[in-house]
Amino acid sequence: MRSSRLSRDTAKLFDRTSPAISTSTSTSSTSRRTTRASLSRFYATSNSTTTAATPDIEDAISTPSPKRRKLSSISPIKAELVEDALQAIPSPPRRQRKPARKATNPNTGSTTTLPPSDWEEIYTTVKKMRQPGGAAYPAAVDTMGCERLADVDASPRDQRFQTLVALMLSSQTKDTVNAVAMAKLKKDLPAYEEGKPKGLNLENMLAVEPALLNEMIWAVGFHNNKTKYLKQTAVILRDEWDGDIPSTIEGLTSLPGVGPKMAYLTMTVAWNRTEGIGVDVHVHRITNMWGWHKTRNPEETRLALQSWLPRDCWRDINHMLVGLGQSVCLPVGRKCGECDLGLEGLCKAAERKKIIEGRRHVKKEEVIEEDGTVLKLEQVKSEVVIKEEVVNESPDLGDAAHSPRLDAASGETAVSGRKRRVKRQAT
C-alpha cells in the first residue's frame, strides 16, 4: 500500500519533535515506506518516552513575522491649536423660552396674560429685517399689499371701497395675482352709464354683469364665489350703508365673504383705526412656530396675541410677519441660513444644517446714499470652524493605529480611534 503525502508529512513532523527516538529507527523509517503498522509502532515508542522534554509543535514551526504598514511620519497636532480653536468660538448663552401664559395675582385674584419671554428681542430683530437692506426686504406685500392697491387719485369714498374689494379678493390668493386683478378692475370695469368714467367704484360694481365680473377676476382663488359676494356686498352698501363701507367691525363682518381678518385690516387701512390684529396664515403659522402660543386657527391666534401684545404693535405686526413669510420664512423651503433669528439662536424651529452653513458665510449689507444713488456694500464674515473626526482602529495595524495620519479628503490631521479637534479658517 502506497503511503500518502499526509502520512509522510506526519512522520517527518514526529521525527522533528521526538528527540528520544533512536537514530537508527528514524533512519530506517525514512528509508522504508510508511505504513499504518509502522505508524502504530512509532506511536507506541513515542509514548514510552518522557513528555517533559518534548518541545511544543508551535515552537518547532517558525512563523513569519507580520508585515507592518509603513506610515508617513507626521508631526502630531499641537495642543495650542486646539485651545485657540476652542477659545475662538464662544459658547452661545442658554435661552430660557417661555410661551405666553396666564398668571393670577394672589392679592387681588385677577388673572393676566404674561408675554413670551423672548418676544421683544424677536420683534425687534424681525422689524430690522423688514427694513430696506434687511434679509426680509423687499417682499410682495411691500408693493402689492391690499393697503397699496387703492387708487390714490380716487375720492376717499371710492378708496375705501377699493380697499374692501382688494381684501375680499386676497383670500386664498397671492399678492401678485391679486394686484393684477385689481389693476384690471380699476382700468376696465365698465361705466354704469354712458359718459361716466370707467373704473372700480360702487356704481360700476352694481351695474356690471356677473359673467363679465367673473371673467375679469378669474385669476384669483374661488373667483366664482367672490363674484357673488362682490355683487351682494354692493347691494348691501347701497341700501344699508348709504353707499359707503361700514365703519365698525360688526358692520364689516356682516358683509358676505368678509371675516375678522379682513374687517380689522379694513378698519386699519380704510378708516385709520386699529381695533384689532389682522391675522392671516403667515401670522398664524410663524407665531406658533416661535412657540408664542398653541392655537388651531387664525381667530384663536388673534385673541392670544391681543391678550398680551402691546396695542402700539397691533398695526405693524401683520405687515411685518406677512413680509417675513413671503421672503425668508416660507411655508415650504424656509431660508433659515439667511434669517437673523436663526443665526442669533432666537428661533427654536430653525433647521440646524442651514444655520451652520449660513454662519460660515454671513453677509452684511450696508445701504449708502451718495449723490442720489444707493450703493450696497457686502462684507463676508469668516469664522473658525471646529471639526471632529472619528476614525476606527484597524486591528491589523497594531501600534500604528495610534499614530497620526493625514485625511486625504479634507487635508486635516486626524487620530485613529480618538476624537481630534482641528482649527480650520473658513473662506
Side-chain angles (χ1 to χ4, degrees):
M1 180 177 65
R2 293 186 178 181
S3 60
S4 63
R5 182 177 180 181
L6 179 61
S7 301
R8 293 195 302 270
D9 293 343
T10 305
K12 292 179 182 180
L13 181 61
F14 277 104
D15 289 342
R16 185 180 299 178
T17 58
S18 301
I21 303 174
S22 61
T23 308
S24 60
T25 306
S26 61
T27 305
S28 61
S29 62
T30 55
S31 60
R32 295 182 301 175
R33 292 187 304 173
T34 304
T35 61
R36 292 185 180 181
S38 63
L39 286 177
S40 62
R41 289 194 301 271
F42 178 79
Y43 178 76
T45 307
S46 62
N47 283 342
S48 62
T49 59
T50 306
T51 58
T54 303
D56 193 1
I57 295 178
E58 295 180 357
D59 297 336
I61 301 175
S62 60
T63 58
S65 59
K67 295 182 179 180
R68 294 185 178 180
R69 181 181 176 183
K70 294 183 179 181
L71 300 177
S72 59
S73 59
I74 302 176
S75 59
I77 302 174
K78 295 183 179 180
E80 292 80 7
L81 293 178
V82 179
E83 294 178 359
D84 294 342
L86 293 177
Q87 295 176 0
I89 299 181
S91 57
R94 291 188 177 182
R95 301 181 183 275
Q96 187 177 6
R97 295 186 178 94
K98 293 183 179 180
R101 58 211 179 275
K102 292 184 178 181
T104 304
N105 191 337
N107 298 327
T108 61
S110 60
T111 302
T112 57
T113 302
L114 299 179
S117 56
D118 55 355
W119 82 270
E120 290 181 302
E121 194 171 0
I122 291 178
Y123 189 91
T124 304
T125 304
V126 175
K127 189 174 183 180
K128 183 179 179 181
M129 292 174 60
R130 292 285 291 117
Q131 293 177 354
Y137 184 89
V141 70
D142 296 327
T143 56
M144 291 173 282
C146 294
E147 68 276 7
R148 300 180 181 274
L149 297 182
D151 190 358
V152 294
D153 296 330
S155 63
R157 170 179 170 269
D158 290 343
Q159 287 185 11
R160 290 191 289 268
F161 179 73
Q162 291 176 6
T163 300
L164 177 62
V165 172
L167 285 166
M168 293 177 68
L169 295 178
S170 67
S171 176
Q172 302 294 322
T173 305
K174 293 183 178 181
D175 287 340
T176 52
V177 178
N178 190 33
V180 173
M182 281 294 297
K184 190 173 184 63
L185 289 176
K186 289 187 293 183
K187 180 181 178 182
D188 299 333
L189 190 65
Y192 66 96
E193 65 179 24
E194 188 177 355
K196 297 296 181 178
K198 296 189 298 184
L200 182 57
N201 54 47
L202 180 62
E203 290 74 19
N204 294 345
M205 183 64 70
L206 288 169
V208 68
E209 292 294 331
L212 178 59
L213 179 61
N214 191 17
E215 183 181 350
M216 297 180 72
I217 65 170
W218 69 269
V220 302
F222 304 98
H223 56 90
N224 293 325
N225 292 334
K226 292 177 181 179
T227 299
K228 294 187 296 184
Y229 295 155
L230 288 175
K231 294 294 292 183
Q232 294 172 4
T233 298
V235 174
I236 295 174
L237 296 181
R238 180 194 62 187
D239 298 341
E240 300 181 12
W241 298 97
D242 196 20
D244 206 345
I245 67 173
S247 58
T248 61
I249 295 296
E250 294 77 14
L252 288 171
T253 53
S254 66
L255 300 175
V258 178
K261 180 202 79 170
M262 299 180 190
Y264 285 110
L265 290 178
T266 302
M267 291 295 299
T268 301
V269 178
W271 295 106
N272 197 23
R273 297 206 314 263
T274 303
E275 298 186 3
I277 301 175
V279 177
D280 67 344
V281 291
H282 292 290
V283 180
H284 172 67
R285 173 178 59 87
I286 293 175
T287 53
N288 276 274
M289 185 184 64
W290 287 340
W292 283 4
H293 41 245
K294 293 182 180 179
T295 54
R296 294 171 293 181
N297 52 64
E299 182 61 17
E300 290 185 4
T301 301
R302 180 185 69 83
L303 296 175
L305 287 174
Q306 291 180 178
S307 65
W308 59 266
L309 188 66
R311 198 177 184 88
D312 56 353
C313 299
W314 288 9
R315 184 185 183 96
D316 298 332
I317 190 170
N318 177 272
H319 182 267
M320 191 170 65
L321 295 189
V322 169
L324 179 68
Q326 290 178 344
S327 57
V328 176
C329 193
L330 305 174
V332 179
R334 302 196 306 268
K335 303 177 182 179
C336 301
E338 302 176 11
C339 181
D340 295 344
L341 295 177
L343 296 176
E344 296 176 9
L346 292 172
C347 180
K348 70 172 188 177
E351 299 181 23
R352 183 175 180 83
K353 183 177 180 180
K354 296 180 181 179
I355 293 300
I356 294 175
E357 187 65 25
R359 284 175 177 171
R360 293 178 181 175
H361 305 283
V362 178
K363 293 183 178 180
K364 292 185 177 180
E365 294 185 357
E366 297 181 359
V367 180
I368 301 176
E369 295 184 0
E370 183 178 354
D371 298 334
T373 59
V374 179
L375 303 178
K376 287 187 178 181
L377 301 180
E378 292 186 356
Q379 296 179 351
V380 180
K381 179 182 177 182
S382 61
E383 65 176 9
V384 178
V385 180
I386 295 296
K387 182 177 181 181
E388 291 185 358
E389 288 190 0
V390 179
V391 182
N392 295 328
E393 291 187 3
S394 300
D396 58 339
L397 294 181
D399 297 335
H402 298 286
S403 61
R405 68 179 182 85
L406 185 64
D407 190 355
S410 60
E412 299 173 354
T413 306
V415 174
S416 300
R418 301 178 184 176
K419 286 185 178 180
R420 178 70 69 181
R421 296 192 172 188
V422 184
K423 181 179 180 182
R424 181 167 60 87
Q425 191 74 17
T427 57

